[in-house]
Amino acid sequence: MGISILELVISRLRQENFQAAAAYPGQKFPPLTGPVAAVHIDRVDRSSLTVTVEVSVLCPAAMGGAECELEALRATEVLRWLGAECVQNGCIYDGVAQVYAVSVMATFTAVTGADSYQIGPGFYIYINDYRHTFVTGFSARQELVAEPQLAMGERAPVGIRREPGQWLLELEELIPAGSQEAAEPEADFEIKVITDVKTEIYSHCDWTSVSRTFTRDGLRRVRKGFALDRRVLV
């Protein structure tokens, strides 16, 4: 279920009206008539599970360096909304190609596979079939009710009776500044946790508390609640 970081970055840039494509296409670069974003993987660090993508924003000389810097700043914001830590470098001029260029280095925390890179914590969260893209963590803990089992006429317990209880849930998100928050679901909703190997479905859920902390990286929202049932699909 790995998602190509290149495909995701290019798709998101195109949604924001960039002419985005993979860098080093193996053919002659066409003349520029407007801003272009060339995307490639700069490095992969498997020890820290990060992937750094370089987005080169190129503009024809007629647009000027200042306009190129503004376009690169717009690309930086797009990448930041995707969860990347971004560094935008200064503008340079290529006299041979007659273009201005600004490099944006975007580092994603990722789960790396053999031929793909999956951005995020390694799982997807859906609430009532709506995907929540800013999730950083999810936990579920089941309460178990256990008590000694007594028999008539016996003083000492003859066994243990155990019954499963409800599931206690915690969902943590980091919502970048400027991004829209998902609406709160009505009571008795469903949560799906989708991974590469299985899907966990928590049914009859409700939140019991919501905490909101504003940080320089965005809004940290932690919701706690419960689910009455859990099932697993493989």
Side-chain angles (χ1 to χ4, degrees):
M1 194 178 60
I3 298 176
S4 165
I5 280 185
L6 290 181
E7 292 177 353
L8 180 59
V9 169
I10 290 171
S11 174
R12 190 67 183 88
L13 288 170
R14 287 175 177 173
Q15 291 176 12
E16 296 299 325
N17 298 320
F18 282 96
Q19 293 186 13
Y24 312 120
Q27 59 190 10
K28 186 177 180 180
F29 202 82
L32 299 185
T33 59
V36 172
V39 183
H40 78 102
I41 294 177
D42 180 73
R43 61 182 177 273
V44 177
D45 188 340
R46 292 187 181 274
S47 62
S48 61
L49 292 180
T50 59
V51 176
T52 299
V53 174
E54 181 178 16
V55 177
S56 298
V57 178
L58 309 172
C59 296
M63 291 186 61
E67 188 67 24
C68 190
E69 289 176 332
L70 291 176
E71 287 295 308
L73 183 60
R74 194 162 65 90
T76 298
E77 288 302 300
V78 173
L79 297 168
R80 187 173 68 87
W81 291 342
L82 279 176
E85 294 184 4
C86 299
V87 176
Q88 179 175 329
N89 298 309
C91 183
I92 61 174
Y93 178 69
D94 186 338
V96 176
Q98 296 186 338
V99 298
Y100 286 97
V102 177
S103 172
V104 179
M105 308 300 293
T107 299
F108 295 91
T109 300
V111 176
T112 59
D115 55 3
S116 62
Y117 307 91
Q118 181 172 301
I119 293 176
F123 57 87
Y124 299 142
I125 294 289
Y126 287 81
I127 298 180
N128 287 344
D129 295 323
Y130 177 83
R131 181 182 169 189
H132 288 244
T133 57
F134 301 123
V135 172
T136 58
F138 175 81
S139 65
R141 177 173 60 88
Q142 187 180 37
E143 293 183 327
L144 298 177
V145 179
E147 60 183 19
Q149 186 176 10
L150 303 176
M152 185 175 297
E154 298 288 340
R155 292 186 177 182
V158 296
I160 297 176
R161 184 174 64 87
R162 175 183 293 178
E163 294 182 357
Q166 65 184 3
W167 288 86
L168 301 181
L169 311 177
E170 181 171 323
L171 179 66
E172 181 176 340
E173 299 169 286
L174 182 59
I175 304 171
S179 299
Q180 185 175 2
E181 297 181 45
E184 292 286 357
E186 299 291 337
D188 197 4
F189 54 87
E190 179 182 84
I191 297 178
K192 291 182 182 178
V193 184
I194 302 176
T195 71
D196 285 339
V197 295
K198 65 180 179 179
T199 297
E200 297 185 4
I201 301 176
Y202 296 85
S203 304
H204 305 299
C205 305
D206 201 1
W207 301 127
T208 57
S209 69
V210 179
S211 67
R212 298 165 57 86
T213 305
F214 290 92
T215 72
R216 62 183 302 173
D217 296 321
L219 169 64
R220 181 174 179 267
R221 181 170 66 175
V222 178
R223 290 179 283 184
K224 297 181 181 181
F226 64 88
L228 300 183
D229 184 51
R230 169 184 176 266
R231 65 186 190 275
V232 179
L233 306 178
V234 180

